[in-house]
């Protein structure tokens, strides 16, 4: 299957990165640099994560192909009635909701092209809409385990359900959203940047296959209900929803079911990252991060953990940084671990490689022909990263001490 995948497509740099990390991790295991028991523990932990990741991406891809996101985006634009401030609030809400309830990669991969196409149809500048998706893909990913792979890891570490994580992170998430909205409006959406006072609402969009549209919409709703309300693992809820959608496509549009729907790159990248980080952690990274994060469970320790997470995420990547940082945080310091989560989720807004969602967003923008001004995006991202992480950590400290 992997041979078919590599032969059927031109290799992207991210494909090489994913394959290289997995090969390096297996080499570490074979040479004994990675202890077998550490590798076994990593495998047990990532198996349900990979099942969830694979099924939820298939669910999101097929839901997008059924035009669910296109219809929703068109309705959002029509609801704005030509007003930029109203459209701004609606787009923020749409992107934040997509990130929170499906995951940040869905926002980066599927919502970005929808927003860019929407910009073309209604005649508005594409960059504000594009920046809305990439920033909210990162900053709106704190609330639920499903929102971000790091959240799944953190919820498992501190034994929090979906509802429990939401109770712990609602205030930091609200603070991060307010900071994001302020930066989006000031840097990209205000009158001087967008170049127009209003826009032309699009025509009503109707899906080509209403039956498939309804099935996919109901499957997504069922997945959300199952992940939030039912006492089942997330991978079971996402797998069941994906199975319903795949069955519907098998009947109504079988040609759409292809091997490329499966996120092979992610399924190779994630275990590779785990193995490499486990190896580096066994040879000194743990001690380095433990010294940087400290063991202070008070407000200072929270800010220290979030700052380390945000800074290192932009130097490396947020997923391996969280994995290594999690091992460095003392087992009982749950609030400090959540502060690290804030840093690794909100912080990776400066470097293009800081999060997988940001990398996927750049790829989608490039394929759509949108030129992204790297210097200004990094500069404005730095402002939001610092402000958003600080405000969210402060909210965590206040709510956690209440």
């Amino acid at each position: 299957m992997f041979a078919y995948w590599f032969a059927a497509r031109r290799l992207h740099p991210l494909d090489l990165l994913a394959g290289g990390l997995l090969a390096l991790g297996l080499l570490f295991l074979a040479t004994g640099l990675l202890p077998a028991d550490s590798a076994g523990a990593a495998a047990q932990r990532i198996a349900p994560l990979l099942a969830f990741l694979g099924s939820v991406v298939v669910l999101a891809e097929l839901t997008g192909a059924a035009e669910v996101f296109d219809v929703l985006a068109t309705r959002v634009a029509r609801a704005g009635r030509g007003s930029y401030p109203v459209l701004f609030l609606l787009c923020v809400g749409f992107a934040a909701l997509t990130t929170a309830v499906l995951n940040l990669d869905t926002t980066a991969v599927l919502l970005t092209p929808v927003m860019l196409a929407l910009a073309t149809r209604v005649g508005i500048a594409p960059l504000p809409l594009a920046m809305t998706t990439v920033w909210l893909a990162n900053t709106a990913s704190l609330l639920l385990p499903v929102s971000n792979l790091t959240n799944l890891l953190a919820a498992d570490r501190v034994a929090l359900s979906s509802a429990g994580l939401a109770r712990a992170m609602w205030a930091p998430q609200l603070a991060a959203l307010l900071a994001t909205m302020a930066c989006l409006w000031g840097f990209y959406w205000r009158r001087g940047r967008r170049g127009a006072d209003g826009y032309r609402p699009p025509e009503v969009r109707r899906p080509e296959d209403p039956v498939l549209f309804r099935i996919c919409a109901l499957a997504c709703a069922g997945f959300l209900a199952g992940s939030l309300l039912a006492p089942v693992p997330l991978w079971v809820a996402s797998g069941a929803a994906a199975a319903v959608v795949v069955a519907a496509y098998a009947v109504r549009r079988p040609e759409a079911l292809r091997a490329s729907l499966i996120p092979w790159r992610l399924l190779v990248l994630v275990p590779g990252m785990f193995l490499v980080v486990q190896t580096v952690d066994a040879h000194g990274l743990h001690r380095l991060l433990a010294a940087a994060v400290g063991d202070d469970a008070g407000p200072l320790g929270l800010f220290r953990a979030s700052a380390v997470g945000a800074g290192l995420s932009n130097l490396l990547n947020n997923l391996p940084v969280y994995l290594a940082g999690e091992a460095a945080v003392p087992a009982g310091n749950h609030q400090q671990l959540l502060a690290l989560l804030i840093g690794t989720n909100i912080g990776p807004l400066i470097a293009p490689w800081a999060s997988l969602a940001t990398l996927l967003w750049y790829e989608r923008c490039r394929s759509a022909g949108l030129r992204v001004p790297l210097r200004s995006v990094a500069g404005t991202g730095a402002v939001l990263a610092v402000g958003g992480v600080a405000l969210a950590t402060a909210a965590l400290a206040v709510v956690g001490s209440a």
Side-chain angles (χ1 to χ4, degrees):
M1 180 61 73
F2 288 113
Y4 166 80
W5 174 56
F6 282 113
R9 57 181 290 170
R10 184 178 179 182
L11 286 179
H12 187 275
L14 285 178
D15 298 326
L16 298 176
L17 174 64
L21 281 174
L22 182 59
L24 188 61
L26 293 175
L27 178 63
F28 289 155
L29 179 61
T31 57
L33 286 173
L34 175 60
D37 55 348
S38 296
Q44 288 182 350
R45 191 171 189 190
I46 66 173
L49 301 181
L50 293 177
F52 161 74
L53 190 60
S55 57
V56 81
V57 170
V58 170
L59 172 65
E61 288 279 0
L62 293 178
T63 299
E67 302 178 82
V68 172
F69 296 122
D70 294 272
V71 170
L72 288 174
T74 300
R75 290 179 179 175
V76 165
R78 288 179 61 81
R81 298 181 179 274
S83 168
Y84 265 107
V86 175
L87 180 66
F88 168 72
L89 294 175
L90 291 172
C91 285
V92 166
F94 189 26
L97 183 64
T98 302
T99 299
V101 301
L102 286 177
N103 69 52
L104 76 167
D105 295 325
T106 296
T107 301
V109 172
L110 297 181
L111 196 57
T112 299
V114 169
M115 289 295 193
L116 293 177
L118 179 62
T120 300
R121 286 199 298 270
V122 302
I124 62 177
L127 190 58
L129 287 169
M131 293 306 301
T132 301
T133 58
V134 69
W135 277 1
L136 285 165
N138 289 283
T139 63
S141 65
L142 286 173
L143 193 62
L144 301 172
V146 70
S147 309
N148 198 327
L149 186 58
T150 53
N151 295 10
L152 286 169
L153 298 170
D156 178 63
R157 164 75 180 266
V158 298
L160 286 176
S161 63
S162 294
L165 184 63
R167 285 193 296 271
M169 299 299 277
W170 71 266
Q173 182 61 90
L174 179 60
L177 287 177
L178 292 175
T180 305
M181 291 172 65
C183 289
L184 278 172
W185 185 265
F187 290 132
Y188 295 102
W189 279 82
R190 59 184 171 84
R191 175 64 174 82
R193 299 303 300 270
R194 65 176 185 257
D197 290 319
Y199 68 94
R200 184 180 65 257
E203 298 296 324
V204 174
R205 185 183 181 99
R206 304 187 187 282
E208 292 184 7
D209 189 333
V211 174
L212 200 55
F213 173 86
R214 293 190 189 98
I215 291 174
C216 290
L218 289 173
C220 284
F223 161 63
L224 299 179
S227 62
L228 291 173
L229 304 176
V232 298
L234 279 173
W235 67 269
V236 173
S238 61
V244 170
V245 169
V246 167
Y249 268 86
V251 173
R252 301 192 65 84
R253 202 189 298 174
E255 69 279 4
L257 298 177
R258 56 194 186 278
S260 59
L261 285 172
I262 300 174
W264 300 112
R265 179 190 294 162
L266 291 178
L267 299 183
V268 171
L269 178 67
V270 170
M273 279 187 174
F274 267 81
L275 292 174
V276 170
V277 169
Q278 287 283 100
T279 304
V280 177
D281 191 49
H283 294 275
L285 180 61
H286 172 80
R287 292 188 297 274
L288 177 64
L289 279 173
V293 171
D295 58 3
D296 182 4
L300 182 60
L302 301 187
F303 280 99
R304 190 170 170 176
S306 63
V308 168
L312 288 181
S313 291
N314 284 289
L315 289 177
L316 303 172
N317 178 275
N318 68 332
L319 180 57
V321 167
Y322 174 80
L323 290 172
E326 182 189 71
V329 173
N333 289 6
H334 291 177
Q335 291 295 97
Q336 195 177 23
L337 182 70
L338 294 179
L340 175 70
L341 185 68
I342 287 172
T344 56
N345 282 22
I346 300 176
L349 298 173
I350 305 171
W353 58 81
S355 75
L356 181 59
T358 305
L359 281 168
L360 294 172
W361 175 82
Y362 273 101
E363 183 182 351
R364 290 289 176 158
C365 289
R366 183 170 57 249
S367 66
L370 175 63
R371 181 181 174 275
V372 177
L374 293 177
R375 183 174 298 179
S376 65
V377 167
T380 56
V383 174
L384 176 56
V386 173
V389 169
L391 288 174
T393 306
L396 178 67
V398 171
V399 172
S401 62

